[in-house]
Amino acid sequence: LGSRPRTTIPVPAEVPTNFTVSDPDHQSFRLDWVAASTMDCRFTNWTVEIRLTHKCVTGYGFVSCPPVASQPWIIVESCVVTSRSTTSCVVDTVESYSFYDVRLRERCTDPTAESPFTTLIAEVSPRPA
């Protein structure tokens, strides 16, 4: 029997933990997280993506927050963080009085070593009267 070449699959970075949203206002919110083990990942950046899910409207005596048609994931440029020790950012590309799916992952030089996404839902406040 001939020998076969061995292949090794990198062990992906672990999912970032304690992913939280804070300080929401009518145009932004802050994200914080804790870095997990890099495993075989050679870090390139943290990447945050958002997707609008609900847009609220108000009228006399009512508020309605219907879902929007399926939206694409958008990379938040202010949250492409190139320092692994920086584990927070401000998302400032959002619409007031809306809800967003938010996801974060650790990016690596080898895409097969990137972490899975961690996700949360963020609410953006209405504009002040």
Side-chain angles (χ1 to χ4, degrees):
L1 295 178
S3 65
R4 294 187 205 177
R6 288 187 189 202
T7 59
T8 57
I9 298 171
V11 177
E14 293 179 353
V15 177
T17 61
N18 297 337
F19 190 35
T20 58
V21 62
S22 62
D23 303 330
D25 64 22
H26 68 280
Q27 58 192 6
S28 67
F29 52 86
R30 177 186 169 96
L31 298 171
D32 292 277
W33 60 91
V34 174
S37 175
T38 58
M39 305 308 278
D40 292 333
C41 173
R42 287 196 333 225
F43 179 83
T44 58
N45 63 56
W46 298 109
T47 299
V48 170
E49 299 177 5
I50 61 172
R51 177 173 63 187
L52 179 66
T53 61
H54 293 77
K55 179 71 178 147
C56 302
V57 293
T58 59
Y60 185 73
F62 78 92
V63 174
S64 176
C65 297
V68 297
S70 181
Q71 299 290 306
W73 286 101
I74 298 168
I75 294 174
V76 179
E77 292 302 324
S78 61
C79 290
V80 175
V81 181
T82 58
S83 169
R84 190 166 193 278
S85 62
T86 301
T87 56
S88 66
C89 67
V90 174
V91 176
D92 58 6
T93 55
V94 293
E95 296 182 38
S96 68
Y97 215 7
S98 53
F99 291 83
Y100 287 84
D101 285 336
V102 183
R103 65 187 188 182
L104 162 74
R105 79 182 321 175
E106 183 168 352
R107 305 296 301 267
C108 312
T109 56
D110 180 346
T112 63
E114 293 177 352
S115 76
F117 282 105
T118 184
T119 61
L120 56 74
I121 296 172
E123 177 181 0
V124 181
S125 306
R127 287 191 184 279

